[in-house]
Amino acid sequence: MAEPIGEFNMKNTGISFDLLSDDRIQQTADFEGTASGFGAVLGTLILRQDLSETSNTSGPLSFVGKALLDDNSLLGGIGQGTWEQIGQEARFKVVMTVKVSDGSQHRSEGIVDHVARTFNGKMYDV
């Protein structure tokens, strides 16, 4: 397995739900924290699913966020990937590829822990 190029540690600051259309739900989970090479990071994980899929234990997700670098410049990031529940726990493994506004990209692997209200993990070269 490849060596990580960095890590991220984030706290959940809120969860919201929206109705997209008849029987289609969007769930957003907001996080803030730090990431290696990115300084302060704010981001949102986004899940969209039909009402009949709300008990699923895996599926697609997306991410959107911004980073405030140490020199006070900003970078944006957009990610696409998957989530998978860990056993019967209120924890989920998230794997995604994140495209950064500076043209770089990386693979992000982390754990969303709903009880601890955290999203922590590691970043890898793509």
Side-chain angles (χ1 to χ4, degrees):
M1 177 167 211
E3 290 295 314
I5 59 171
E7 63 180 42
F8 58 93
N9 297 286
M10 303 175 79
K11 286 294 273 182
N12 180 262
T13 60
I15 296 176
S16 63
F17 299 90
D18 293 309
L19 180 62
L20 297 177
S21 62
D22 289 343
D23 297 333
R24 188 130 175 93
I25 295 170
Q26 175 173 284
Q27 174 183 335
T28 58
D30 297 319
F31 294 90
E32 63 180 55
T34 59
S36 302
F38 291 98
V41 177
L42 302 168
T44 302
L45 288 174
I46 305 161
L47 280 72
R48 294 179 183 100
Q49 55 194 180
D50 292 334
L51 180 62
S52 63
E53 299 172 344
T54 56
S55 61
N56 286 2
T57 57
S58 64
L61 61 68
S62 48
F63 170 85
V64 62
K66 284 194 172 183
L68 177 62
L69 302 175
D70 292 338
D71 67 0
N72 292 323
S73 62
L74 294 171
L75 286 176
I78 297 172
Q80 299 292 326
T82 60
W83 64 273
E84 182 175 350
Q85 186 173 1
I86 300 170
Q88 297 299 312
E89 301 176 41
R91 296 183 333 134
F92 302 84
K93 181 176 182 178
V94 172
V95 177
M96 62 185 158
T97 299
V98 179
K99 295 179 184 178
V100 183
S101 59
D102 66 1
S104 67
Q105 60 181 346
H106 62 270
R107 188 176 86 249
S108 170
E109 296 185 11
I111 303 293
V112 172
D113 186 325
H114 284 294
V115 175
R117 298 186 58 78
T118 58
F119 179 30
N120 300 321
K122 299 193 181 308
M123 299 175 293
Y124 300 87
D125 279 326
V126 175

